[in-house]
């Protein structure tokens, strides 16, 4: 346009009039052609036309032209599902904003994230576990993350999940996760029936049936210790049982009135876990086994049980179509005679880095993911989940999941999501457990270590309960 205007100023008389008319006609035709092209132009950044896609017209959208922006997103392995990546492609097509996922192996993730946060070089978005002590101590969200309290989706996300993302009244992340489907023991019903076994209600019953399976040449459990985090679930998930045996335990731990090392039920659970390993219930290669192989191992028929997300039955059927998902049932971890269905209202969450140059675009992406139709898309296209922590979605609970929830009517929050300073030391507890299984330390030593790390974190957090 400027070029045309400059040429126009040098013309005179009728020639000028003719050329002016010609130029106006050309300009009008160009304008019509550009308008007709609509959103087809994706490569020219801010001058491109705006699409009519939901990312621009929905809640949190900019409503403006396409943008030539890339959002970097650091996450641990397993946190970003294929369905979300497909949505990210749609988001890019509608807005021009590309999501560059940077996936880090789970056993290295938190060190990488902490290094980046401490250096002030974090990605635009980063993943992290929820939980008050986790977001405060590990991520220092009041410094490193953006306050998302005013986002529309905050009002729709499960309040229990939001609570795990809130610090001093501000919400710092978004959790889109199947928080209702806790890790439970998936068992092969055919193998159980062949050996006359039933779901255990006590640890002694669990021990007896495991020994029966072992004597029959079947490894009772597939336990992937090599991942560094999975085996900690055996200790942490039965937390409601600890609180049931000692009423008020959770609150007393948060008030620093009691310590882990003094709780007999926790010590009992650790002792029983060690016994399971010593008796060979986890096979010969548990220290080398990984979660990535769980479905294949279970499909082989050489293992009878595994502690897993409830969706593992779908993965088992994929691994071997002859082994059907409905061949498996569920029961809760029976350590310390637990019969409570433990709930984890938290999960891997999405934070926006406070130092990002594209905070508004990152907010736009989170708003896009939280749109009801996109949540349902994730639920429909992810075989690892049965529901999500937003209302109004059509769940995929199978008959065994419904039976599980009907069997265990008493529910409670697991220890890492209720008791402060537990979740941030998850990987350290994993190392403690490995040391315990290797006879390097005793259950009491592990509980003392947990107390020590909790006290250290509480001091850093200036927790008044530890200032007395």
């Amino acid at each position: 346009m400027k070029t045309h205007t400059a040429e126009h100023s040098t013309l005179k008389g009728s020639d000028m009039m003719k050329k002016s008319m010609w130029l106006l006609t050309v300009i009008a035709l160009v304008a019509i052609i550009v308008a007709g092209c609509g959103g087809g132009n994706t490569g020219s950044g801010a001058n491109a036309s705006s699409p009519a896609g939901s990312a621009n017209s929905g809640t949190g959208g900019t409503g403006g032209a396409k943008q030539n922006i890339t959002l970097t997103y650091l996450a641990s392995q397993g946190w970003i599902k294929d369905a979300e990546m497909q949505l990210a492609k749609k988001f890019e097509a509608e807005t021009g904003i590309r999501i560059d996922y940077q996936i880090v192996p789970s056993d290295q993730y938190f060190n990488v994230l902490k290094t980046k946060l401490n250096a002030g070089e974090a990605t635009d978005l980063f993943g992290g576990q929820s939980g008050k002590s986790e977001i405060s101590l590990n991520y220092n969200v009041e410094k490193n993350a953006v306050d998302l309290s005013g986002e529309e989706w905050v009002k729709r996300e499960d309040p229990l999940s939001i609570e795990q993302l809130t610090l001093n009244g501000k919400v710092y992340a978004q959790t889109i996760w199947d928080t209702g489907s806790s890790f439970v023991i998936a068992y092969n019903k055919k193998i159980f029936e062949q050996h006359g076994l039933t779901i255990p209600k006590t640890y002694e019953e669990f021990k007896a049936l495991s020994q029966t399976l072992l004597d029959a040449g079947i490894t009772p459990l597939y336990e992937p210790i090599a991942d560094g985090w999975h085996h900690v679930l055996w200790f942490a998930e039965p937390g409601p049982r600890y609180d049931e045996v000692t009423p008020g335990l959770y609150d007393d731990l948060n008030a620093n009135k009691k310590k882990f090392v003094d709780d007999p039920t926790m010590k009992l659970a650790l002792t029983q876990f060690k016994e399971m390993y010593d008796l060979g219930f986890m096979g010969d290669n548990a220290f080398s086994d990984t979660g990535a192989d769980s479905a294949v191992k279970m499909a082989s028929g050489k293992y009878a049980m595994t502690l897993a997300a409830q969706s593992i039955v779908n993965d088992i059927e994929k691994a071997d179509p002859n082994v059907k998902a409905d061949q498996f049932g569920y029961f809760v971890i029976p350590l310390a005679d637990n019969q409570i269905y433990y709930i984890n209202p938290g999960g891997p969450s999405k934070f926006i880095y406070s130092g990002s140059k594209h905070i508004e675009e990152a907010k736009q992406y989170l708003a896009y993911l939280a749109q009801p139709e996109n949540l349902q898309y994730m639920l429909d296209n992810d075989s690892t989940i049965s529901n999500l922590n937003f209302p109004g979605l059509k769940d995929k609970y199978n008959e065994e999941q419904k039976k599980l929830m009907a069997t265990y009517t008493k529910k409670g929050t697991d220890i890492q999501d209720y008791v402060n300073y537990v979740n941030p030391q998850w990987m350290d507890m994993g190392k403690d457990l490995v040391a315990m299984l290797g006879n390097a330390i005793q259950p009491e030593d592990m509980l003392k270590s947990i107390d020590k790390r909790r006290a250290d974190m509480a001091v850093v957090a200036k927790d008044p309960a530890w200032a007395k």
Side-chain angles (χ1 to χ4, degrees):
M1 287 292 289
K2 288 181 178 178
T3 301
H4 291 167
T5 303
E7 290 174 350
H8 179 79
S9 64
T10 64
L11 301 175
K12 297 180 180 180
S14 59
D15 288 343
M16 183 176 73
M17 182 63 72
K18 290 177 182 178
K19 289 186 178 290
S20 295
M21 291 300 293
W22 180 82
L23 283 171
L24 289 171
T25 302
V26 170
I27 291 170
L29 286 171
V30 169
I32 291 170
I33 292 171
V34 169
C37 289
N41 187 351
T42 59
S44 59
N47 287 330
S49 300
S50 174
S54 59
N56 277 340
S57 58
T59 55
T62 62
K66 283 190 176 183
Q67 305 166 72
N68 188 13
I69 290 173
T70 296
L71 296 177
T72 52
Y73 186 172
L74 188 74
S76 177
Q77 187 176 24
W79 287 0
I80 307 299
K81 309 296 182 61
D82 289 344
E84 180 179 333
M85 291 189 175
Q86 291 301 317
L87 285 174
K89 291 180 181 177
K90 295 180 181 178
F91 179 71
E92 179 182 356
E94 294 180 10
T95 65
I97 302 172
R98 189 171 77 89
I99 309 299
D100 176 20
Y101 292 104
Q102 300 175 9
I103 307 300
V104 178
S106 55
D107 61 340
Q108 303 169 30
Y109 179 69
F110 290 106
N111 286 335
V112 173
L113 175 60
K114 281 185 177 180
T115 299
K116 286 182 174 292
L117 289 175
N118 291 336
E121 298 175 349
T123 48
D124 296 305
L125 291 142
F126 63 90
Q129 291 286 358
S130 62
K132 288 184 182 298
S133 53
E134 184 82 18
I135 65 175
S136 171
L137 295 170
N138 274 355
Y139 316 138
N140 191 10
V141 292
E142 291 181 308
K143 173 187 176 185
N144 293 319
V146 173
D147 176 12
L148 301 174
S149 306
E151 297 301 296
E152 180 275 338
W153 49 263
V154 171
K155 299 174 184 175
R156 292 184 286 114
E157 188 175 322
D158 184 346
L160 292 177
S161 296
I162 289 294
E163 184 181 2
Q164 299 296 320
L165 304 166
T166 303
L167 198 62
N168 294 325
K170 296 181 179 178
V171 179
Y172 286 99
Q174 176 190 72
T175 303
I176 299 178
W177 204 252
D178 186 0
T179 55
S181 300
S182 303
F183 275 63
V184 291
I185 297 177
Y187 71 100
N188 189 318
K189 292 190 294 185
K190 281 189 175 180
I191 293 178
F192 268 47
E193 289 169 4
Q194 289 168 358
H195 296 277
L197 305 175
T198 57
I199 292 176
K201 294 182 178 178
T202 66
Y203 171 71
E204 287 303 321
E205 291 180 6
F206 178 73
K207 178 181 170 182
L209 73 83
S210 295
Q211 190 62 54
T212 298
L213 292 165
L214 192 62
D215 292 343
I218 299 170
T219 304
L221 279 165
Y222 182 76
E223 176 50 47
I225 293 176
D227 288 342
W229 62 271
H230 183 276
H231 53 299
V232 183
L233 292 165
W234 285 91
F235 170 69
E237 294 293 79
R241 172 60 175 164
Y242 311 149
D243 193 60
E244 179 184 50
V245 175
T246 306
L249 175 65
Y250 274 9
D251 291 333
D252 285 343
L253 287 169
N254 281 337
N256 196 25
K257 293 179 180 178
K258 288 185 178 178
K259 297 185 182 302
F260 277 57
V261 71
D262 297 326
D263 186 75
T265 317
M266 291 185 188
K267 185 177 179 180
L268 176 64
L270 289 176
T271 301
Q272 292 173 341
F273 184 69
K274 174 73 162 54
E275 184 179 47
M276 289 163 48
Y277 177 80
D278 289 344
L279 290 172
F281 294 167
M282 303 175 194
D284 299 327
N285 299 305
F287 279 11
S288 301
D289 288 334
T290 64
D293 292 330
S294 294
V296 172
K297 295 290 185 180
M298 292 301 293
S300 73
K302 297 179 180 178
Y303 296 83
M305 301 176 281
T306 189
L307 177 63
Q310 294 163 32
S311 59
I312 191 175
V313 299
N314 301 319
D315 297 330
I316 294 172
E317 185 171 321
K318 283 183 181 178
D320 185 347
N322 295 316
V323 183
K324 301 301 181 186
D326 61 7
Q327 185 178 321
F328 295 84
Y330 309 103
F331 60 88
V332 299
I333 296 173
L335 294 183
D337 298 342
N338 175 58
Q339 290 294 286
I340 301 175
Y341 184 76
Y342 32 82
I343 296 173
N344 183 339
S349 305
K350 307 170 192 304
F351 299 79
I352 299 175
Y353 178 47
S354 59
S356 169
K357 295 179 181 178
H358 304 299
I359 289 175
E360 291 307 314
E361 290 79 5
K363 285 183 177 179
Q364 187 180 347
Y365 179 59
L366 297 188
Y368 180 74
L369 292 179
Q371 289 176 10
E373 62 270 28
N374 290 336
L375 292 169
Q376 189 66 55
Y377 177 87
M378 283 189 268
L379 180 53
D380 293 342
N381 292 278
D382 184 351
S383 63
T384 68
I385 58 177
S386 301
N387 204 354
L388 288 173
N389 55 333
F390 283 79
L393 304 176
K394 185 179 180 182
D395 67 60
K396 300 186 299 185
Y397 291 126
N398 60 39
E399 289 303 314
E400 289 296 331
Q401 286 177 292
K402 293 175 183 175
K403 189 185 299 183
L404 172 74
M405 294 173 189
T407 299
Y408 301 99
T409 55
K410 187 171 184 179
K411 299 177 174 57
T413 302
D414 52 26
I415 197 167
Q416 68 270 24
D417 279 299
Y418 196 106
V419 177
N420 295 332
Y421 316 122
V422 174
N423 209 38
Q425 57 172 297
W426 192 273
M427 300 302 283
D428 290 319
M429 291 193 292
K431 295 174 184 175
D432 290 342
L433 280 172
V434 168
M436 188 186 77
L437 297 180
N439 295 316
I441 64 172
Q442 299 300 312
E444 185 173 329
D445 298 323
M446 175 172 169
L447 296 174
K448 286 180 179 177
S449 294
I450 293 173
D451 285 326
K452 173 67 166 57
R453 288 188 291 262
R454 290 188 74 229
D456 290 344
M457 285 186 273
V459 170
V460 171
K462 298 179 181 178
D463 191 323
W466 269 260
K468 298 174 183 175

